[in-house]
Amino acid sequence: MPADFPSLPRRGPAPAVDRMSNAELARMVESEHPYRGKALFELSDRIPTDNDAATKVAMLSRLTSLRRARLFDRVSLAWSGIIALLAAETDHSRAVAYEAFGALDIDEQRDMLDYLEVASIEEAHPRIA
């Protein structure tokens, strides 16, 4: 490798998030673990059948670190959590999604609504493939 291109730090093997509890996954996200996105996505996958996972994702979406971490373009890890809550389409997940969305600042709310192509968060019914 040329000297003018420093090597990236090694992260090590990915943790087996599918075998972790909701609390363990939430701690990974909160501690800004290098695999926090993987932990958040595992929690998000549990939302349709697990109200505790939904509650944790809604809580985690309020973290400044997730609001600043971009997946692509304007979409942050926090937005991905809120979108997963909306997509689950359960009464609990939608209720906590609205609360999480309400915790975003006004500009961020406006950007997210624009991204979702809706006028209000209640109109958003994203699908996750």
Side-chain angles (χ1 to χ4, degrees):
M1 178 172 268
D4 55 338
F5 293 107
S7 63
L8 296 173
R10 295 186 57 98
R11 290 200 239 188
V17 295
D18 60 325
R19 292 183 286 193
M20 297 173 80
S21 71
N22 292 349
E24 290 170 316
L25 293 167
R27 279 193 297 275
M28 274 183 73
V29 175
E30 290 170 328
S31 70
E32 298 186 28
H33 188 279
Y35 285 99
R36 69 182 177 195
K38 187 173 180 70
L40 180 67
F41 297 146
E42 176 63 28
L43 272 174
S44 295
D45 286 346
R46 297 176 186 185
I47 292 170
T49 59
D50 186 340
N51 285 346
D52 178 63
T55 300
K56 283 181 173 39
V57 169
M59 176 211 50
L60 293 167
S61 72
R62 292 167 170 79
L63 294 173
T64 302
S65 62
L66 292 191
R67 291 173 60 191
R68 289 187 179 149
R70 296 286 177 252
L71 290 173
F72 59 90
D73 192 29
R74 297 179 288 175
V75 180
S76 66
L77 281 173
W79 284 19
S80 75
I82 295 169
I83 290 168
L85 290 164
L86 294 167
E89 294 287 353
T90 70
D91 291 340
H92 180 72
S93 69
R94 300 258 333 159
V96 295
Y98 300 154
E99 292 171 10
F101 176 81
L104 301 175
D105 64 45
I106 296 298
D107 290 336
E108 202 171 1
Q109 288 179 10
R110 188 177 15 244
D111 282 350
M112 188 171 181
L113 292 176
D114 179 58
Y115 174 76
L116 293 171
E117 298 178 345
V118 294
S120 71
I121 195 65
E122 294 80 10
E123 294 174 25
H125 295 278
R127 301 232 188 274
I128 298 177

